[in-house]
């Protein structure tokens, strides 16, 4: 298994300044999405994909996601720093969507995950998705805490922690959040996405 990138060493986190811009991502954003994934530190990368994956697998995953799922990106100064995905179809029951999150390691713990989850809730309700599934590693405490904040009950299933967010309840809880933001209307179509995604914060 070969990798064409080196994981970034741990560095001091940046201060979050200026406006965070959200928009839906499509096939034309593949290079930015790939660069974003490559910015994850080693442990964050392992959390995101439940281990290590090859470059070929990653390229195919990014292409499928951008063509078949709802994908929302968070930009700071035109730099993609966080991504939320919502996958449907395949083995995922009707009315449900499986989420996946990644936040660039240097931009974690600045509220970007909360911002993206709120946007994902809005998109879910606009696409008749009543439940968002969150699946993450047992040691990914930040992601589990974020899901719980929006009403998920996280339970162990094998080596993964899995929870479900009721979209209506999540939106109600989001309205009470202290994180100030503007939620854009992110128009996107949903296609079938085989396989399972994971999440990291």
């Amino acid at each position: 298994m070969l990798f064409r990138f080196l994981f970034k060493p741990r560095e001091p986190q940046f201060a979050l300044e200026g406006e965070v811009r959200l928009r839906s991502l499509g096939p034309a954003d593949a290079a930015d999405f790939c660069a974003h994934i490559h910015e994850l530190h080693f442990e964050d990368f392992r959390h995101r994909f439940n281990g290590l994956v090859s470059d070929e697998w990653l390229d195919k995953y990014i292409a499928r996601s951008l063509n078949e799922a709802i994908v929302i990106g968070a930009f700071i100064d035109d730099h993609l720093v966080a991504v939320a995905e919502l996958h449907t179809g395949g083995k995922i029951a009707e009315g449900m969507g499986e989420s996946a999150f990644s936040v660039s390691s240097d931009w974690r713990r600045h509220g970007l995950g909360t911002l993206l989850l709120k946007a994902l809730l809005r998109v879910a309700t606009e696409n008749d998705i009543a439940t968002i599934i969150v699946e993450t590693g047992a040691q990914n405490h930040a992601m589990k805490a974020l899901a719980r904040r929006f009403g998920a009950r996280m339970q162990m299933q094998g080596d993964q922690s899995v929870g479900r967010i009721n979209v209506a309840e999540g939106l109600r809880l989001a309205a009470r959040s202290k994180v100030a933001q503007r939620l854009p209307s992110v128009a996107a179509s949903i296609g079938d996405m085989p396989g399972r995604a994971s999440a990291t914060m």
Side-chain angles (χ1 to χ4, degrees), residues 109-128:
R109 295 179 174 83
H110 288 299
L112 291 171
T114 300
L115 190 72
L116 281 171
L117 183 49
K118 288 183 176 184
L120 212 61
L121 287 165
R122 178 70 59 80
V123 169
T125 194
E126 291 172 352
N127 286 276
D128 298 322

Side-chain angles (χ1 to χ4, degrees), residues 40-84:
L40 299 178
H41 297 153
F42 181 75
E43 285 302 320
D44 298 334
F45 187 97
R46 286 176 60 90
H47 279 314
R48 174 60 184 81
F49 295 105
N50 298 321
L52 300 180
V53 299
S54 69
D55 293 320
E56 181 180 5
W57 187 95
L58 183 61
D59 288 341
K60 289 180 179 178
Y61 174 84
I62 289 173
R64 287 198 308 270
S65 296
L66 293 175
N67 279 282
E68 301 171 3
I70 292 175
V71 185
I72 302 171
F75 291 82
I76 297 175
D77 295 331
D78 295 322
H79 181 67
L80 182 63
V81 295
V83 174

Side-chain angles (χ1 to χ4, degrees), residues 8-23:
K8 290 186 62 182
R10 290 253 174 221
E11 299 171 351
Q13 293 185 346
F14 300 120
L16 183 58
E17 299 177 353
E19 184 177 359
V20 179
R21 180 171 55 91
L22 301 185
R23 70 169 175 84

Side-chain angles (χ1 to χ4, degrees), residues 139-160:
Q139 301 304 313
N140 195 345
H141 303 298
M143 187 64 233
K144 290 190 292 183
L146 176 63
R148 289 190 184 104
R149 197 179 309 150
F150 290 88
R153 288 187 175 183
M154 304 301 292
Q155 298 180 332
M156 290 303 298
Q157 294 184 11
D159 61 349
Q160 295 292 293

